[in-house]
Amino acid sequence: MKYDPSLGWDIALSIELFVAAILVLMAYKIVKTIKNDAFSPEYRSVAILVLGDIGRSPRMMYHAQSFAGHNVQTYIIAYKGSKPLPSLLSMSHVQFLYIPEPPRFIAKLPRALFLLAMPAKIAIQVWGILDAFIFQIPHPPQYILVQNPPTIPSLALVWLAARLRGCKVIIDWHNLGYTILAMRLGEKSKFVSLAEKFEKTFGRTAYAHLFVTNAMKDHLVKKWDLQGKKVVLHDRPPSYFHQSTPSEIHDLFVRLMPFIDTDLSWFPNYNLPATTPFTEVLKSPVSFTADTSLLERRTMPSLRHERPALLITSTSWTPDEDFSLLIEALRRYEIKARHQRSTNPKHLLPKVLMFVTGKGPERAKYMRELQHLKNEEQWEWVRCMSLWLEPEDYPRLLGEFFRDFLFSLLQAEY
C-alpha cells in the first residue's frame, strides 16, 4: 500500500509494534509463571475486578464488603481514584491491587483516532490485569468476580486467568458492553459485531452470573444461552443508608454550601452556620427540672418549610444514560411552575434543585447545555448542578431524599 501521511499509517504501525512487544513479554512471563506455580486455588478467597475507579463502583464495593464480612480473603483489582468506602479500608481481609489506567484523552478522541488508539489502551489494560492476577496475588483465588461492562479485555482475561490458575469466574452483568460501543460507533460497525461475539464467547460459560434485574437475566439466557448458575441481586442500600435526621442534613449542607456553584440569591436567605437553604437552628422551649432550676436553652436543627425540593441522580455520564430526558423534564417543570404562579399564586410549586453526582465523559457537554437553557429561557424555579460526594456523605444526602425524589437515567438492552 502506498504510504499516505493523512491516513496515519505510521501511528497505527507504531501502536501495533508496541502491542506486539507487550504481548510477547507477557506471554513469556505467563509461561514462566505456569511452570513454577504449584498452588491450587486458595479456599475462601475472591479477586474482584473493576476496570474503572473502584470508589465510583458502589455495587462492587458492597460485594467486597459482603465477602470480607464473611471472612473471605478479598482482593480488589481496579483503578485508583475516588476514595473507597471507609469500612473497606479498615477490613483486614481486604487488599487493594491498583492497576495502571490508560490515558483518559483516548476516550475523547474523534472516531478515527479512537480506533487507532484502542490497541494501546487495551495493551495497558491487559498488562495491568494479568500482572495483578498472576504476579501480585500470592495464591490463585477460588473465585474471580468481574463487573461487565467494560467487556474488552476484562472477560477474556478473567477467562484466561481462570484456566491458568483454576479459578471460578462470576460475572456481574450491569449492562452489555457491545451496545454501549454501538452508541459511539453505530450499530452497523464491524467493531460492534466483533465486540458482541467477544462478549458472548467469553461471557456465556462463566461459573455463575449475577444480574441487577430479572429482565436482564431473561434477556441474556434467551439470547446467549448462558451456562452456569444465574442469580438476580437487586440493588439495595446497605444498613447505614437511612432517613437522615434534621441534624445530619444541617451538618451536611453547612459543609456543602461553600461548594455550591449556582446563584446563591436563588436560595432562601440563609446565614451559615445557623441556617442553610434547607435547615435552620431553632432554640427549644425553656425546660425546668423537678426543683424548677432553669436549664440552658438547646439548639435543635429543623427543616425549613420554604426549602427547595431536592432531586438527585447518580450517573457516570456515559452514552447509555440519556441525560436529555432529564433536561427536558426540568424544562417542563420550569414552564409548569411559572404557569402555576400566574394562575394560582396562593399555591406555588416549590423551587427545584437538581444534584447530579458522578464523573464521566459527557458531563461538560450536558452541563453546558443546561447552562445555555437556563440563561436563554431565564429559569427562575429550577437549578441543576453536578456534585461529587465522599462515600461517607453520600448516604446522608440520599437520606434527605427519602422525603423527595431519586431516579435513574440508565438505558439497558433488555
Side-chain angles (χ1 to χ4, degrees):
M1 180 178 292
K2 185 179 180 180
Y3 176 76
D4 183 353
S6 66
L7 296 178
W9 293 116
D10 51 342
I11 299 176
L13 181 59
S14 299
I15 292 173
E16 289 173 4
L17 291 174
F18 173 76
V19 173
I22 290 291
L23 293 178
V24 168
L25 178 61
M26 185 172 53
Y28 168 76
K29 297 192 78 173
I30 289 175
V31 171
K32 184 177 179 181
T33 300
I34 294 173
K35 289 182 178 180
N36 298 326
D37 190 0
F39 296 112
S40 59
E42 180 184 6
Y43 181 64
R44 296 185 65 80
S45 63
V46 62
I48 298 178
L49 174 62
V50 178
L51 204 57
D53 182 346
I54 184 60
R56 291 165 51 195
S57 304
R59 181 175 169 94
M60 303 306 286
M61 287 193 290
Y62 298 150
H63 285 323
Q65 191 175 49
S66 180
F67 276 117
H70 287 83
N71 298 321
V72 176
Q73 181 61 42
T74 304
Y75 302 96
I76 299 177
I77 303 169
Y79 298 150
K80 188 175 183 179
S82 307
K83 181 181 176 183
L85 293 173
S87 58
L88 283 180
L89 297 173
S90 62
M91 285 180 146
S92 60
H93 288 285
V94 175
Q95 182 177 347
F96 288 86
L97 303 175
Y98 292 116
I99 58 178
E101 182 177 1
R104 297 183 180 180
F105 71 84
I106 292 178
K108 302 177 182 178
L109 292 174
R111 183 178 183 275
L113 293 179
F114 173 72
L115 294 176
L116 288 174
M118 278 181 67
K121 175 183 177 181
I122 293 172
I124 294 171
Q125 293 170 330
V126 166
W127 176 256
I129 293 171
L130 287 184
D131 179 61
F133 274 123
I134 298 177
F135 304 109
Q136 295 190 48
I137 298 178
H139 301 275
Q142 185 177 8
Y143 300 100
I144 298 175
L145 173 60
V146 59
Q147 171 185 284
N148 185 76
T151 302
I152 302 173
S154 304
L155 293 189
L157 293 178
V158 297
W159 179 89
L160 176 62
R163 276 150 182 78
L164 290 177
R165 311 203 76 183
C167 314
K168 296 177 180 178
V169 175
I170 304 172
I171 302 176
D172 193 352
W173 296 91
H174 294 198
N175 207 327
L176 297 177
Y178 80 91
T179 62
I180 297 176
L181 186 63
M183 294 179 183
R184 173 96 191 237
L185 304 181
E187 294 183 1
K188 296 182 180 180
S189 168
K190 292 182 179 180
F191 286 96
V192 172
S193 178
L194 288 173
E196 180 180 4
K197 293 177 181 177
F198 180 97
E199 194 164 11
K200 176 182 178 181
T201 300
F202 293 107
R204 66 183 296 270
T205 58
Y207 170 76
H209 307 268
L210 306 180
F211 307 92
V212 180
T213 64
N214 285 297
M216 172 64 114
K217 184 192 78 168
D218 295 341
H219 174 77
L220 284 181
V221 169
K222 180 180 179 181
K223 184 179 178 69
W224 287 346
D225 187 27
L226 293 186
Q227 308 299 304
K229 300 180 181 180
K230 295 168 277 289
V231 180
V232 175
L233 294 179
H234 298 290
D235 281 333
R236 290 189 176 91
S239 58
Y240 49 81
F241 279 78
H242 61 273
Q243 182 168 330
S244 299
T245 65
S247 295
E248 289 174 320
I249 297 170
H250 182 79
D251 174 68
L252 176 63
F253 280 104
V254 165
R255 290 185 287 107
L256 284 183
M257 285 310 298
F259 303 99
I260 301 294
D261 59 3
T262 193
D263 181 10
L264 298 182
S265 63
W266 181 83
F267 293 106
N269 291 331
Y270 68 95
N271 183 25
L272 299 177
T275 59
T276 75
F278 308 91
T279 57
E280 57 188 348
V281 177
L282 301 176
K283 290 186 177 181
S284 63
V286 177
S287 302
F288 295 88
T289 62
D291 61 1
T292 68
S293 60
L294 185 64
L295 295 179
E296 184 180 356
R297 290 177 181 267
R298 295 176 297 168
T299 55
M300 302 294 293
S302 62
L303 297 176
R304 297 177 63 168
H305 294 294
E306 71 275 28
R307 71 185 186 279
L310 291 170
L311 284 78
I312 184 170
T313 184
S314 178
T315 175
S316 54
W317 299 94
T318 51
D320 61 322
E321 296 173 294
D322 190 355
F323 203 74
S324 63
L325 294 174
L326 176 60
I327 294 178
E328 180 59 24
L330 295 176
R331 185 172 179 272
R332 291 187 183 189
Y333 186 90
E334 173 70 28
I335 295 171
K336 178 68 175 178
R338 291 185 184 185
H339 178 74
Q340 182 78 1
R341 179 180 59 186
S342 62
T343 58
N344 193 359
K346 292 184 179 181
H347 298 87
L348 298 177
L349 293 175
K351 289 184 174 181
V352 166
L353 177 62
M354 177 83 227
F355 281 144
V356 186
T357 68
K359 302 174 183 177
E362 302 283 311
R363 174 183 170 186
K365 167 189 170 183
Y366 282 117
M367 293 310 297
R368 282 196 303 268
E369 184 176 339
L370 267 169
Q371 185 66 28
H372 175 74
L373 268 178
K374 181 179 77 71
N375 295 336
E376 184 179 49
E377 300 181 2
Q378 298 182 342
W379 285 6
E380 303 174 53
W381 296 86
V382 176
R383 292 292 185 272
C384 181
M385 62 169 292
S386 61
L387 187 70
W388 177 249
L389 296 170
E390 294 300 329
E392 57 268 26
D393 284 334
Y394 199 68
R396 296 190 183 100
L397 184 62
L398 291 186
E400 161 61 12
F401 293 105
F402 279 103
R403 298 177 175 85
D404 296 326
F405 303 99
L406 306 91
F407 50 91
S408 170
L409 299 172
L410 182 65
Q411 295 185 83
E413 278 302 301
Y414 49 89

